[in-house]
Amino acid sequence: MRKAFISPAKYVQGENELLNLGYFVKTFGKSALLIAHKDDIARVQGQLDETAATFGVEIFASNFNGECSREEVARLQEVAKAHHSDCIIGLGGGKAIDTAKCVAQGEALIIVPTIAATDAPTSHSAVLYTPAGEFDDYAYFKQSPSVVLVDTKIIANAPTRFLVAGMGDALSTYFEARATQNSFSNVNAGLPCGVRTGECPPAKGTIAAYTLAQVCYTTLLENGLNAKIACDNNLVTPALENIVETNILLSGLGFESSGLAAIHAIHDGLTMLEGTHHYFHGEKVAFSAIAQLVLENAAIEELYEVLDFSLSIGLPVCLADIGVESITMAEAMEVAEKACILEESIHSMPFPITVEAVASAIMAADKIGKAYKESHLVK
């Protein structure tokens, strides 16, 4: 049996850690191409200038256009060659980070997330879009980033909604890992080998990955509310440090190396609904977690635990919370059909999946979440 586990070569987290960026650039050479949105660069320009001067390196801005498209990746690869860049830095949110992964192609890559809204920074995959912003394809690389550098002071000063959305994304990790383990399904850590290329057999998850997924969930429950309060007040506390690590590292290693299941597939289906387009990935994932628990008829105590946690930090628990005030069975069926396409992770659930069952779970999760919110939320 083939198992696989994947992770960054180095993960570093702490206050003012951005000031050490130049040190990591220097481990690759003397220069780096910085892929980041101009607004994110403006937020940290002082730290970038200081670390470049301290360590004697050059950091060149790339004029990133904001979209992770094949055209932008090709342009930036030429810019990197023109500057003789020794490494690539992806700084900011998901689009900049994924573009940096594509430009670096698995070599000499430093990722610097300025928000903790998803678990993408540690992964060896990226999402490609067209120049117009429509989904194009997934890209997988031979390894995860060389360095993931997380400055918790910067994250504490970002809007709290990002941190909470990251907790929504992390909330899925354990439940999808459990389903994948119970069904003995394959995990992303085996890619690009396996199904996508035919080069080698697919891989199962490891004990290490499943353990990280479990700790991801318990750390959320124990630290989530206090971390939110700290971020509301732009404070770095032990709880906030724990949640940043949970959102980025534990969830990142957990999803790639222990598997995805119904939650992320239902999320993908929900993107068909216009109302969801203004909500973050992790916010839609949070509702999808409730839908998976309903689909698998999880213990009522577990369902209520997730609902209580979500309400405590302001995560969505019903469709209205992600911009869908009402949904018909026909609309739910369309969402479910998209969630159930052959390539989706929902087929890692440990029982046969039907479109009808998924649609019913979405409808029921919406009703359960709405009723629970009405009965427990303080008016």
Side-chain angles (χ1 to χ4, degrees):
M1 179 177 60
R2 182 172 186 262
K3 293 186 176 185
F5 182 91
I6 193 167
S7 69
K10 184 178 287 290
Y11 178 90
V12 183
Q13 174 185 313
E15 288 187 76
N16 299 311
E17 197 59 47
L18 186 56
L19 295 176
N20 291 321
L21 176 60
Y23 166 81
F24 293 106
V25 171
K26 202 167 185 177
T27 64
F28 297 107
K30 296 181 179 179
S31 67
L33 181 70
L34 175 65
I35 297 174
H37 191 277
K38 62 181 181 179
D39 292 341
D40 288 319
I41 295 175
R43 286 176 60 200
V44 298
Q45 188 65 64
Q47 294 97 312
L48 292 173
D49 291 341
E50 183 175 344
T51 193
T54 299
F55 294 98
V57 298
E58 291 185 281
I59 299 175
F60 300 101
S62 64
N63 298 314
F64 174 51
N65 72 7
E67 194 57 75
C68 183
S69 66
R70 296 176 189 272
E71 293 82 354
E72 179 68 349
V73 168
R75 182 187 75 81
L76 291 174
Q77 286 174 333
E78 291 303 313
V79 173
K81 290 178 184 177
H83 284 292
H84 304 287
S85 302
D86 297 306
C87 65
I88 304 296
I89 301 169
L91 182 147
K95 293 290 181 75
I97 287 172
D98 277 0
T99 302
K101 291 177 185 177
C102 293
V103 172
Q105 293 288 297
E107 299 284 357
L109 173 63
I110 303 172
I111 296 297
V112 186
T114 56
I115 55 175
T118 72
D119 50 21
T122 65
S123 78
H124 78 310
S125 59
V127 183
L128 284 160
Y129 295 86
T130 67
E134 298 175 4
F135 173 77
D136 180 0
D137 198 4
Y138 293 104
Y140 291 89
F141 309 103
K142 67 178 183 180
Q143 60 193 15
S144 297
S146 308
V147 179
V148 177
L149 187 69
V150 186
D151 191 323
T152 48
K153 188 171 183 180
I154 292 171
I155 289 174
N157 281 279
T160 304
R161 185 182 172 191
F162 289 119
L163 186 78
V164 172
M167 286 192 266
D169 201 16
L171 184 60
S172 69
T173 305
Y174 166 62
F175 298 115
E176 292 190 290
R178 182 176 67 185
T180 300
Q181 183 185 68
N182 289 341
S183 64
F184 210 57
S185 295
N186 300 324
V187 299
N188 281 357
L191 297 169
C193 296
V195 176
R196 290 182 70 90
T197 64
E199 294 174 0
C200 53
K204 310 302 179 184
T206 60
I207 296 169
Y210 188 66
T211 301
L212 290 173
Q214 290 174 306
V215 174
C216 181
Y217 181 59
T218 57
T219 307
L220 282 175
L221 297 182
E222 293 168 1
N223 294 270
L225 178 57
N226 285 345
K228 177 188 178 299
I229 293 169
C231 198
D232 283 339
N233 294 280
N234 306 122
L235 300 171
V236 177
T237 65
L240 183 127
E241 290 274 10
N242 288 346
I243 288 301
V244 170
E245 181 180 345
T246 297
N247 287 7
I248 296 175
L249 183 62
L250 293 176
S251 184
L253 299 184
F255 98 81
E256 279 213 296
S257 293
S258 61
L260 298 175
I263 297 173
H264 273 78
I266 292 171
H267 161 276
D268 294 345
L270 289 172
T271 62
M272 293 186 64
L273 302 176
E274 181 70 27
T276 68
H277 294 178
H278 301 293
Y279 289 83
F280 294 156
H281 171 81
E283 293 169 334
K284 288 175 278 193
V285 166
F287 170 74
S288 301
I290 298 168
Q292 177 176 309
L293 291 175
V294 172
L295 179 66
E296 62 188 347
N297 198 27
I300 195 68
E301 295 83 5
E302 186 173 70
L303 176 60
Y304 288 170
E305 184 176 66
V306 169
L307 287 166
D308 284 335
F309 171 74
S310 296
L311 288 175
S312 74
I313 63 170
L315 280 171
V317 297
C318 60
L319 288 172
D321 291 342
I322 52 173
V324 181
E325 293 298 329
S326 63
I327 186 171
T328 65
M329 190 59 183
E331 290 170 330
M333 286 289 288
E334 290 181 1
V335 170
E337 285 173 2
K338 183 175 177 62
C340 292
I341 63 173
L342 185 61
E343 297 82 5
E344 271 291 3
S345 57
I346 199 165
H347 302 291
S348 291
M349 294 300 290
F351 48 80
I353 293 295
T354 67
V355 172
E356 292 79 7
V358 174
S360 295
I362 292 168
M363 297 280 285
D366 178 43
K367 301 297 184 183
I368 291 168
K370 189 176 296 183
Y372 200 85
K373 184 177 182 179
E374 289 174 353
S375 63
H376 287 73
L377 202 59
V378 177
K379 303 294 184 182

